Amino acid sequence: MLRHKAFRNVDGLTSFLEKVGPSDVFYSSAYYEDPEREMEKKGWLGADLIFDIDADHIPTPCTKTHDRWICANCRIIGRGLTPQNCPGCGERKFDERTWPCEKCLESAKKETIKLMDILIRDFAFFPEEIRVSFSGHRGYHVQVEREEIRTLNQMARKEIVDYIVGIGLDTRFHGLRDAPVLTGPILDDPGWSGRIARGTYDFLLKATPEELKKAGLKKKRVDTIIKYKEKLLESRKEGGRWGIVKDLGVDSWRRIAERGAKIQSARIDTVVTTDIHRLIRLGNSLHGKTAMIKIEVPANEIEDFDPFTDAVVFKEGKEEVIVSDAPRFRLGDAFYGPYKGEKAELPTAVALLLLCKKAAKVVR
Ligand SMILES: [Zn+2]
Ligand SMILES: [Zn+2]
């Protein structure tokens, strides 16, 4: 790790990178008087507001099919999200293999879109101040560059995080109450009130009896909701009359609204945003775990952005490799794998991805 480097201009940086040839390049989101000195003497001036949305923090059902971990201590192997502590020995060190999976990245993209909506509608940032990038691996980076926010301290950033994640939300303070009659927030209310109303609508629209039960509702209430679903949804469009079905009281609605709020919150990595000295991957550099590029995605193109096409750099040539172990995956228009100890001649980008994932060796 080479740290505390500073460059006067892009040429200086480029020639340094050409000389060193690092697998990954990061820069500081902070602004310093003297970035080349040691940490305490740099003279912190401020930092951009950074958000990281990583599939590692989103529980997707497919993670069990492509991710696995091995305890560095007792060598127990597990599938899916890496646990905090090893279930075998309690240690916290693991060798992980995660995969840049299409479904996982689609979920990360959805979270990114929600985050942008909150930043623009609730925080009133301008879309042109928000830069969104695909990280090159399993997620998206969102960066707000604006003079006034640079000097926000950690506490202030924590407040922003809490708002986005919906920590400490109490539906009572967003209009859900039963006196004198049962009322709740309406779909186009500003801020979290409207988000709770819209999230509740979405939850009702799609919820199965099992999901309603999981929200903490008794069977009788679940039956009522299923029976009157259409009526309930229709009533939402007409305003704040939440008490249209007699059986469902304010307690039931509170449980449902809490689920709705969860749907509307964005799953950001909370540690990244509160860190005022954060290092982030340099834009237009390659990711050492994939050989794909960290690439900026214009805000109005994010819906159609396809990382497995748009972030592929090496578009020519083929390479013969021996693949030890890889799940089935797509790159560009074609699918590859699953592989288990076999020789394959693959397009350069595919071979590089496998090599970077330490799942293959070059045939010499
Ligand atoms: Zn262990
Ligand atoms: Zn996945």
Side-chain angles (χ1 to χ4, degrees):
M1 194 82 91
L2 290 168
R3 300 189 62 195
H4 313 297
K5 294 279 170 199
F7 303 92
R8 296 255 158 234
N9 50 45
V10 178
D11 286 346
L13 170 67
T14 313
S15 62
F16 175 79
L17 293 178
E18 279 170 358
K19 206 166 72 197
V20 177
S23 67
D24 298 270
V25 189
F26 302 88
Y27 74 102
S28 175
S29 64
Y31 298 80
Y32 296 106
E33 263 167 16
D34 197 351
E36 263 175 316
R37 304 188 71 182
E38 63 223 74
M39 228 37 217
E40 311 76 58
K41 292 182 184 153
K42 281 186 199 295
W44 188 87
L45 298 170
D48 293 331
L49 188 60
I50 306 282
F51 301 94
D52 180 25
I53 291 165
D54 197 296
D56 291 352
H57 295 106
I58 308 169
T60 47
C62 49
T63 168
K64 281 202 160 51
T65 67
H66 52 73
D67 293 350
R68 57 147 206 252
W69 49 265
I70 304 172
C71 172
N73 180 42
C74 72
R75 308 309 289 175
I76 271 191
I77 299 176
R79 293 196 161 272
L81 291 182
T82 312
Q84 282 255 315
N85 296 74
C86 170
C89 69
E91 283 296 315
R92 285 163 165 251
K93 267 198 86 160
F94 301 96
D95 298 323
E96 291 174 284
R97 188 201 68 187
T98 57
W99 202 262
C101 149
E102 197 159 4
K103 285 186 195 134
C104 289
L105 274 172
E106 206 42 51
S107 327
K109 190 204 266 187
K110 283 204 186 103
E111 299 299 316
T112 307
I113 292 169
K114 278 195 275 177
L115 168 64
M116 285 164 66
D117 184 66
I118 296 174
L119 291 175
I120 293 167
R121 288 221 272 180
D122 296 7
F123 285 88
F125 288 122
F126 294 111
E128 52 274 21
E129 293 170 319
I130 302 173
R131 289 169 55 194
V132 184
S133 306
F134 167 59
S135 74
H137 189 214
R138 302 237 305 150
Y140 290 85
H141 297 164
V142 174
Q143 194 166 346
V144 183
E145 293 178 345
R146 177 167 166 168
E147 195 81 45
E148 296 103 298
I149 54 153
R150 278 189 197 161
T151 48
L152 292 180
N153 63 16
Q154 274 178 304
M155 280 308 289
R157 287 168 204 248
K158 182 72 173 58
E159 295 265 6
I160 294 175
V161 165
D162 288 353
Y163 185 94
I164 289 163
V165 181
I167 284 178
L169 269 186
D170 188 329
T171 50
R172 272 175 298 187
F173 302 132
H174 292 278
L176 180 57
R177 54 179 80 93
D178 59 353
V181 287
L182 210 165
T183 50
I186 61 174
L187 295 174
D188 48 11
D189 270 342
W192 263 110
S193 300
R195 290 187 191 281
I196 288 170
R198 295 193 292 278
T200 305
Y201 185 94
D202 289 343
F203 180 63
L204 281 179
L205 188 66
K206 292 180 197 144
T208 59
E210 288 72 44
E211 284 168 325
L212 289 165
K213 241 178 259 168
K214 256 198 221 155
L217 296 165
K218 296 234 165 68
K219 178 158 188 318
K220 199 176 140 222
R221 307 256 148 71
V222 172
D223 293 343
T224 306
I225 291 171
I226 300 293
K227 189 172 166 197
Y228 293 107
K229 198 174 199 172
E230 290 302 317
K231 196 177 165 187
L232 288 169
L233 287 170
E234 213 36 57
S235 74
R236 286 314 146 83
K237 293 180 186 156
E238 290 155 8
R241 295 185 305 140
W242 286 41
I244 196 150
V245 174
K246 236 172 74 192
D247 258 3
L248 299 169
V250 74
D251 280 339
S252 302
W253 280 117
R254 197 158 289 149
R255 288 173 202 272
I256 299 167
E258 276 161 17
R259 286 283 154 152
K262 207 157 199 176
I263 295 175
Q264 287 280 316
S265 70
R267 288 174 194 265
I268 54 173
D269 182 334
T270 57
V271 175
V272 170
T273 304
T274 46
D275 185 350
I276 54 170
H277 304 101
R278 192 74 190 182
L279 296 180
I280 23 170
R281 189 171 295 281
L282 184 69
N284 295 321
S285 71
L286 295 175
H287 197 299
K289 282 182 180 159
T290 58
M292 297 206 288
I293 195 169
K294 171 170 170 179
I295 187 172
E296 192 164 334
V297 187
N300 56 352
E301 288 171 25
I302 186 153
E303 297 269 5
D304 297 323
F305 177 78
D306 171 23
F308 299 99
T309 304
D310 301 328
V312 172
V313 180
F314 302 94
K315 292 185 174 133
E316 280 165 21
K318 284 189 178 275
E319 196 68 49
E320 206 177 0
V321 289
I322 298 167
V323 193
S324 55
D325 183 19
R328 184 176 155 82
F329 62 96
R330 176 176 72 84
L331 208 65
D333 296 327
F335 284 87
Y336 303 90
Y339 297 106
K340 195 101 202 168
E342 57 206 274
K343 199 191 258 191
E345 195 187 37
L346 298 169
T348 307
V350 178
L352 276 169
L353 170 63
L354 292 166
L355 290 166
C356 288
K357 278 280 158 195
K358 297 193 167 60
K361 281 195 176 110
V362 181
V363 177
R364 293 275 176 223

